[in-house]
Amino acid sequence: MKKKSFFILFTVIILIGISIFFIFFYNKTAKTSKIGNNSTSQEIVDYILNISSYEAKVEIQIESNKNKNRYVLKQQYNPQNEIMQEVLEPSNIAGTKIIKNGNQLKLENSNLSLSSIYENYQYVSDNNLDLSCFIENYKQDSKANWKEENEKIIMKTKKEQEEKTLSVDRKTGKPIKLEIKCANKNTGIYILYNEVNINCL
């Protein structure tokens, strides 16, 4: 009799444990796969605006009346509001890290001085190239808007003489391209997100 009641109790405990495991696993999966084919456009916009961290490899093209420059950067944004950009290309400044934490700007792994970076690679040292900056501008702009176009969600915001347009993949909810147009400087900045991991840090 004792063996039988022990066996029943043991079976009940195992079933409860398995149930808890499946509930936990299901909830975790549901949270991580929130954005997908069945997500509405508004859900994807909200998802982008609530990014808490990300890591990306981006290709940046800066075009002005005078010239055209191309850079490849690794960008990182974490929940402590620290923004890190590491230059991968061109080779003469590869390895340079620009870290912004609040109002502090730090330069690492570079033979170049901070003033040289500002003077010769002005846009690389600017956190304007960062997705978190776009999100902040979008949230503060009462006229910011979005629309659907060719399997993409196009989010637009404008601040003074600067207009930013973010294209987001409708299926994955991941950024594809960020365009920044500076009317007063006649400059266009085009950022392609080759690899991006959201809320991963």
Side-chain angles (χ1 to χ4, degrees):
M1 185 75 170
K2 280 186 178 180
K3 283 184 180 180
K4 197 172 188 181
S5 56
F6 174 77
F7 178 75
I8 291 170
L9 181 62
F10 182 75
T11 306
V12 169
I13 290 170
I14 287 178
L15 288 173
I16 290 171
I18 290 170
S19 299
I20 290 170
F21 171 78
F22 277 114
I23 289 168
F24 174 78
F25 181 78
Y26 175 77
N27 284 340
K28 193 170 183 180
T29 306
K31 282 178 186 172
T32 55
S33 62
K34 185 182 174 193
I35 297 301
N37 288 336
N38 296 328
S39 299
T40 67
S41 296
Q42 184 61 59
E43 285 173 334
I44 293 170
V45 169
D46 292 342
Y47 173 71
I48 292 291
L49 294 177
N50 290 299
I51 288 175
S52 62
S53 69
Y54 80 92
E55 194 172 60
K57 183 178 177 185
V58 298
E59 188 178 319
I60 298 169
Q61 190 145 320
I62 300 166
E63 296 177 6
S64 66
N65 290 344
K66 296 176 183 176
N67 57 17
K68 192 185 283 192
N69 295 306
R70 181 186 168 275
Y71 302 94
V72 177
L73 302 181
K74 177 184 174 186
Q75 293 181 334
Q76 231 177 37
Y77 171 72
N78 65 35
Q80 289 77 41
N81 287 327
E82 185 179 77
I83 301 163
M84 188 276 292
Q85 296 191 120
E86 179 181 357
V87 181
L88 303 177
E89 292 176 34
S91 58
N92 63 325
I93 58 169
T96 300
K97 285 185 183 177
I98 299 147
I99 300 163
K100 189 170 190 292
N101 197 339
N103 292 329
Q104 281 188 318
L105 192 66
K106 192 163 77 172
L107 189 65
E108 288 182 359
N109 301 343
S110 180
N111 297 326
L112 301 168
S113 66
L114 198 54
S115 59
S116 174
I117 291 277
Y118 274 132
E119 193 177 319
N120 301 311
Y121 307 100
Q122 177 187 351
Y123 291 102
V124 174
S125 62
D126 192 348
N127 76 324
N128 242 0
L129 306 179
D130 195 89
L131 186 59
S132 63
C133 185
F134 170 84
I135 292 168
E136 192 179 310
N137 291 163
Y138 193 95
K139 287 178 175 178
Q140 292 171 356
D141 181 4
S142 60
K143 293 180 181 174
N145 59 75
W146 62 269
K147 65 179 180 180
E148 282 186 65
E149 189 177 281
N150 300 328
E151 292 298 313
K152 286 184 265 187
I153 295 170
I154 311 296
M155 299 171 69
K156 285 191 175 193
T157 181
K158 190 173 184 179
K159 187 178 180 184
E160 295 161 11
Q161 296 293 309
E162 197 171 73
E163 187 177 297
K164 295 182 179 181
T165 306
L166 179 69
S167 300
V168 180
D169 188 299
R170 176 77 181 73
K171 290 177 183 169
T172 64
K174 289 186 177 183
I176 302 168
K177 184 179 183 182
L178 176 61
E179 291 179 41
I180 304 169
K181 300 226 170 132
C182 309
N184 57 345
K185 295 178 186 173
N186 288 327
T187 304
I189 303 169
Y190 307 92
I191 302 167
L192 291 175
Y193 292 90
N194 295 329
E195 298 167 24
V196 61
N197 294 308
I198 295 173
N199 298 334
C200 59
L201 302 172

